Amino acid sequence: IWARESFLLQQKDGTMSKIKVKVNNKDTSETIIQVKVPGFFELGEGDGYALIGQTATHHGNHYGTESTLYSLLDLAGAYYEENKGTLRINDISLIGGGLFDIKANWSSPHKSHRVGKNVDVDDVTAEGKKVRSASLKKVAEKLGIKITILDEGNHLHLSFP
């Protein structure tokens, strides 16, 4: 008997995926497995920054790697000291990483937010001051933080190594 097996992986959120096994184009088995990027930590509330962007679909959108979060905390604190502006931190990654579907439709416009090293920062501080990428880059350089900053119109996209 010839059997053709196929595996279909459907990501349902940052932590759960469904695998379907088909033999001769007939579903034979289905299971849910936990899939996630290891080593994520949640960024909690703190001084020098404010967390924004939580939605009913993704109430946990501030997870990242330890090194990213430490660098981000240092950057936010130093930015506040120099500019008297509280950075508004939006999306980092979901609790287990993976597809971050900001519109809750399982498309992937947030492709780089899968592994906890990319952070969106609002372009206006909590005090209403404009956040300029050059100012943020200057603060990062003073701290020795390697970072790439893209201005995406209504927010800055920060990428950490």
Side-chain angles (χ1 to χ4, degrees):
I1 294 177
W2 180 82
R4 185 173 149 220
E5 297 177 38
S6 65
F7 302 89
L8 173 65
L9 183 65
Q10 299 172 328
Q11 191 161 5
K12 293 298 183 189
D13 64 26
T15 61
M16 302 303 285
S17 294
K18 184 186 288 186
I19 293 181
K20 286 185 178 183
V21 178
K22 291 185 174 197
V23 176
N24 293 330
N25 287 330
K26 294 180 184 175
D27 288 345
T28 59
S29 180
E30 181 176 299
T31 189
I32 303 277
I33 61 169
Q34 188 170 17
V35 177
K36 62 181 179 177
V37 178
F40 272 15
F41 298 90
E42 184 175 17
L43 179 63
E45 294 288 340
D47 295 330
Y49 64 93
L51 301 178
I52 64 170
Q54 303 89 333
T55 66
T57 306
H58 300 307
H59 52 275
N61 60 323
H62 299 109
Y63 286 85
T65 64
E66 184 176 21
S67 63
T68 295
L69 297 184
Y70 275 126
S71 293
L72 185 59
L73 289 172
D74 290 344
L75 184 62
Y79 185 87
Y80 182 81
E81 289 300 316
E82 275 197 34
N83 299 282
K84 301 302 179 224
T86 303
L87 294 179
R88 293 167 24 102
I89 298 171
N90 197 346
D91 299 331
I92 303 175
S93 286
L94 299 178
I95 187 170
L99 181 65
F100 197 141
D101 66 326
I102 57 173
K103 296 181 181 178
N105 61 3
W106 296 109
S107 65
S108 57
H110 250 27
K111 288 180 183 178
S112 65
H113 288 266
R114 293 176 178 235
V115 296
K117 295 184 176 197
N118 294 277
V119 180
D120 288 341
V121 173
D122 199 13
D123 68 342
V124 177
T125 66
E127 296 80 14
K129 298 177 185 175
K130 181 78 173 163
V131 179
R132 307 220 181 273
S133 59
S135 300
L136 205 53
K137 184 78 171 171
K138 181 180 167 187
V139 171
E141 286 172 357
K142 282 184 182 179
L143 294 171
I145 296 173
K146 294 184 182 205
I147 190 172
T148 302
I149 302 173
L150 298 174
D151 188 336
E152 297 193 342
N154 63 348
H155 70 277
L156 301 175
H157 180 87
L158 285 54
S159 295
F160 293 88

